[in-house]
Structure formats: structure tokens, C-alpha cells
Amino acid sequence: MKPAIRILIVDDHSLVRDGMEAILRLESDFQDIAHASSCAEALTAVRADEPDLVLLDRRMPEGDGFDLLGELRHIAPQTRVIMMTSSTTPSDVARSRALGAAGHLSKNIRHATLLRAIRAVLGGGTCFEAETILLPATHTLSPRQCEVLEHLSRGLSNLEIGQILSIGENTGKDHIKAIIAKLGAANRPEAVTLGFKRGILGL
């Protein structure tokens, strides 16, 4: 089994923390979740058990979330950070990016969008407000490959996909091999599963 993904939620409001955790626990590999209600608690938690991802509130009672972001990037450079805030002004988004965050999102986004954004960030991509959720370049599918993956998700065979897209069966097979390789999947079903999880395919 793959190791659980370690996530730290940093927010001074318990309702927000609990709500985010409830959303994350919908995913089978998002079960190792810790909380911090202050900058000091967050720093202690990151030093003790460097998480894979930190969901960080922009405004903290005893310190600024941007200041904490800078410290987190210094002590745990491998940890990915998404700023979660009610303020998505261009200046705040730009500051998050400049300080090394992998994303900056409104707390009002849909649950499915949050999960897609987290998957993208954990895969090396970004998720800044008002931008497309980006996968790393090596994982980016071409428009044709996205079409092929869409038809794969419907259970169509190589021959059926070729007929629909007016391409040869062997060309379709080549696209499928490329899709599997780019997504890091083991087979066609896993490629489809990853396509949904990473937001390439619509829910």
C-alpha cells in the first residue's frame, strides 16, 4: 500500500479545521491529518513531522500567514503549501507566489475543486486563484490525449476510440501508452482514476 499523505491544517478557527478535515477524509490516502491553531503550533508540527502539504490560513491571531509561509519554506522546503483565505486580491495571490506557496485559494471554493487542487499540488503543480489548476509539465496531457482519456473513462475500446476520433487503432494505442506514462499510472483503469483525481476529467 502507498503511504498515507501527511497534511497539516493551520487555522485558528476549529470549525474551519474540522470542516477541511471532513472533506479531506473523503479520500482514502488523506487520513494522516494534523491541526495547528497558531503559528507557533504550526512550526512545531512541521519540525516534528515534516508534512507533505500545509493548508495555511492567511490571517492568524498572533502572526501573519505570509510570515509563517516564509518560515515554513525555509525549515521544510519539500513541504508544499496552499494559502487558504477569504482574500484573493491580485496582490495577495502575487505575494503567496513570491514567497513560495504552491497555491492560493478562497475558503469558499467547492469541495471537489479543493480536492483537485490538492492533488495537483501534491503532483508538483500549482493552484492559484483564477488560474487553471496546473499539473507539472511532464504530466501535462495534450488536447488529443485528454480526448482519448475522456473516451477511456467511458469504457470504450481502442478500436472504438479510433473510430470516434478518426485515428488508427495503433495511433490510439500510442496515445494511451503516453497517457499512462505521463500520469504515472500502472494501467488504463488507474489512468482514468488519476484523471478524475487530478481534475483532468470532469466529475
Short mmCIF file of all heavy atoms in Angstrom, two decimals, residues 14 41 53 103 118 174:
data_model
loop_
_atom_site.label_atom_id
_atom_site.label_comp_id
_atom_site.label_asym_id
_atom_site.label_seq_id
_atom_site.Cartn_x
_atom_site.Cartn_y
_atom_site.Cartn_z
N SER A 14 -11.68 26.43 14.87
CA SER A 14 -11.85 24.98 14.94
C SER A 14 -12.88 24.48 13.93
O SER A 14 -12.73 23.38 13.38
CB SER A 14 -12.27 24.55 16.36
OG SER A 14 -13.49 25.16 16.74
N GLU A 41 2.32 26.65 16.93
CA GLU A 41 1.94 25.24 16.83
C GLU A 41 2.29 24.68 15.46
O GLU A 41 2.73 23.54 15.34
CB GLU A 41 0.44 25.07 17.09
CG GLU A 41 0.03 25.23 18.54
CD GLU A 41 -1.47 24.98 18.73
OE1 GLU A 41 -2.13 24.55 17.76
OE2 GLU A 41 -1.95 25.23 19.85
N LEU A 53 1.95 18.38 2.84
CA LEU A 53 1.16 19.55 2.45
C LEU A 53 0.70 20.30 3.68
O LEU A 53 0.29 19.70 4.67
CB LEU A 53 -0.05 19.12 1.63
CG LEU A 53 -1.05 20.22 1.23
CD1 LEU A 53 -0.45 21.12 0.16
CD2 LEU A 53 -2.36 19.62 0.75
N GLY A 103 0.01 27.39 -4.02
CA GLY A 103 -1.34 27.77 -4.37
C GLY A 103 -1.89 28.83 -3.43
O GLY A 103 -1.35 29.07 -2.34
N ILE A 118 -5.53 20.15 -4.43
CA ILE A 118 -4.56 19.46 -3.57
C ILE A 118 -3.84 18.38 -4.35
O ILE A 118 -2.61 18.23 -4.25
CB ILE A 118 -5.27 18.87 -2.34
CG1 ILE A 118 -5.71 20.00 -1.40
CG2 ILE A 118 -4.36 17.89 -1.60
CD1 ILE A 118 -6.56 19.53 -0.23
N ASP A 174 -0.92 4.23 -29.03
CA ASP A 174 0.23 5.08 -28.69
C ASP A 174 -0.17 6.20 -27.74
O ASP A 174 0.56 6.54 -26.79
CB ASP A 174 0.86 5.66 -29.95
CG ASP A 174 1.57 4.61 -30.80
OD1 ASP A 174 1.92 3.54 -30.24
OD2 ASP A 174 1.76 4.86 -32.00
#
